[in-house]
Amino acid sequence: MRRLIYLLFAIIIIVIIVWGTGSTQEETEFQPTILNPLGPTVIPVAGITGDKLESDIPVDVHFYKNTDEAIAMLSSDSGQFAVLPVTAAANIYNSGIDITMLGVYNWKVFYMVASNEVEFNDWGSLKEKTVYTPIGRGQTADILMRFALSKQGVDPESEVEIQYAPPQEIVTLFQTGKIDYAALPEPFASLAINDGNGEIVLDLQEYWGKINETNERIPITGLFVKNDFLDSYPQETQEIVQLFDASINWSNANVDKAIEVSQETLPIPQPIMKDALTRIDFYYVPASRCQEEVDDFLRKMQELYPQGIRELPDERFYAQ
């Protein structure tokens, strides 16, 4: 009888341990990941990465180096949320990765810089010249530049030499006087002119607003979520959106602290980063309030450069 009591007691202890261990694992496993690109968008998530905000849901932020890495992590479910250029997200969605745009929060970042050795009066100044822009053909600045040149009567295919390189390489070429023109995102525009050998001569957002007779802003980058996560965790998704929005607001209100938190992943001198942030606009607008603007932007970008956006996304691309 005593052996039976001992046996029952042991079974109860084992059940309690297994149950307790299982609960702990379940709680630990629920930690959604936001995939965030390395670059100026490191700043808006500083409130999250620096543990400056309270949240009932633990959120991990993974910084990815290029879009291919983000696509691979979304495909393998290593990330449930992703910060993506709107144009890239449209192509990712049409390739079969089921994501939804929750909102847009990066509205201003692209500038044209020119060296002190040249004059830039308008887009016609680039005729028979070479201009550098990051990554490759089809990115936002590249398409806008080609459109602007055509509108000015300059053939971007034959009358301007457009070269592509990593932004860090373009900054070095500009600082050493090897190139005179570059269309760059911040903070690379600020880095390029930091030595006093050039200046910002054009705000691409301002140009876009004027030709479209609309706000001087571009829906550049948004927050996206995988639809299987959204369907399973609608309330948690909303809480993470609120946390993301709060992090943007925290960074805008605490610029010095946000830069300090971001130094490990974005090692740009604080004065330059602070100057660059005066030319960047981060504020969150839900998809329900910017869908028409994003759809119009994608439609015009496709008209300007069909190879850049193969197909316009349908209604399911936008969170309702």
Side-chain angles (χ1 to χ4, degrees):
M1 184 64 182
R2 180 175 296 177
R3 292 182 60 186
L4 180 58
I5 292 173
Y6 284 157
L7 180 60
L8 287 173
F9 183 73
I11 291 174
I12 290 171
I13 293 297
I14 291 171
V15 168
I16 290 173
I17 291 173
V18 170
W19 180 82
T21 303
S23 298
T24 301
Q25 285 178 340
E26 184 177 343
E27 289 170 4
T28 302
E29 287 170 358
F30 189 79
Q31 186 174 14
T33 295
I34 298 175
L35 307 176
N36 196 88
L38 283 170
T41 51
V42 168
I43 299 292
V45 294
I48 300 174
T49 57
D51 295 325
K52 304 299 182 183
L53 304 167
E54 293 185 0
S55 173
D56 294 333
I57 302 176
V59 175
D60 179 47
V61 177
H62 174 84
F63 294 107
Y64 66 83
K65 296 177 182 176
N66 52 56
T67 307
D68 288 342
E69 182 183 352
I71 292 172
M73 294 190 71
L74 286 169
S75 299
S76 64
D77 206 30
S78 299
Q80 293 72 42
F81 295 80
V83 168
L84 295 164
V86 170
T87 50
N91 288 330
I92 290 171
Y93 174 80
N94 285 322
S95 72
I97 297 179
D98 198 15
I99 57 174
T100 284
M101 187 184 84
L102 296 166
V104 173
Y105 75 99
N106 184 1
W107 298 94
K108 188 175 182 180
V109 76
F110 290 112
Y111 294 88
M112 177 72 73
V113 298
S115 76
N116 295 331
E117 307 301 319
V118 296
E119 286 189 5
F120 182 92
N121 299 315
D122 53 33
W123 291 100
S125 299
L126 296 178
K127 188 175 182 179
E128 309 300 335
K129 301 293 192 304
T130 300
V131 57
Y132 275 71
T133 194
I135 304 176
R137 186 163 178 158
Q139 45 95 343
T140 305
D142 178 64
I143 296 176
L144 283 177
M145 194 162 50
R146 288 176 181 278
F147 168 75
L149 288 166
S150 300
K151 199 174 179 63
Q152 189 84 17
V154 179
D155 185 350
E157 302 295 337
S158 61
E159 295 184 292
V160 177
E161 185 177 355
I162 300 177
Q163 293 282 348
Y164 307 99
Q168 297 88 343
E169 184 179 332
I170 296 175
V171 168
T172 301
L173 291 171
F174 191 88
Q175 289 178 331
T176 55
K178 295 180 178 176
I179 64 174
D180 289 321
Y181 297 102
L184 288 165
E186 287 288 13
F188 300 106
S190 291
L191 276 172
I193 63 173
N194 181 51
D195 293 338
N197 56 347
E199 61 179 340
I200 291 174
V201 294
L202 188 73
D203 178 333
L204 269 68
Q205 293 72 205
E206 186 178 317
Y207 172 76
W208 179 253
K210 284 182 179 176
I211 62 171
N212 289 289
E213 297 181 344
T214 183
N215 297 326
E216 294 177 353
R217 67 181 193 179
I218 298 172
I220 299 166
T221 313
L223 177 65
F224 295 81
V225 63
K226 291 189 69 175
N227 275 323
D228 54 1
F229 184 90
L230 177 60
D231 293 341
S232 300
Y233 303 102
Q235 180 59 37
E236 289 80 359
T237 297
Q238 188 56 38
E239 290 182 35
I240 292 170
V241 168
Q242 291 171 357
L243 176 66
F244 190 84
D245 188 16
S247 183
I248 296 169
N249 294 332
W250 181 87
S251 295
N252 286 338
N254 301 275
V255 173
D256 291 337
K257 293 179 180 176
I259 295 173
E260 183 180 338
V261 169
S262 306
Q263 279 295 290
E264 188 173 338
T265 48
L266 192 65
I268 290 177
Q270 185 164 353
I272 295 177
M273 193 67 232
K274 195 170 182 178
D275 184 43
L277 285 172
T278 64
R279 288 184 284 273
I280 301 174
D281 275 346
F282 290 129
Y283 53 92
Y284 187 81
V285 180
S288 59
R289 290 200 281 115
C290 65
Q291 175 177 342
E292 185 177 346
E293 186 173 355
V294 173
D295 186 62
D296 183 59
F297 169 71
L298 291 174
R299 193 176 304 280
K300 288 178 178 173
M301 294 292 275
Q302 189 192 43
E303 290 172 4
L304 299 173
Y305 185 55
Q307 300 94 324
I309 300 176
R310 296 180 293 276
E311 183 181 351
L312 292 174
D314 57 25
E315 283 287 321
R316 200 165 183 269
F317 181 65
Y318 303 96
Q320 303 302 314

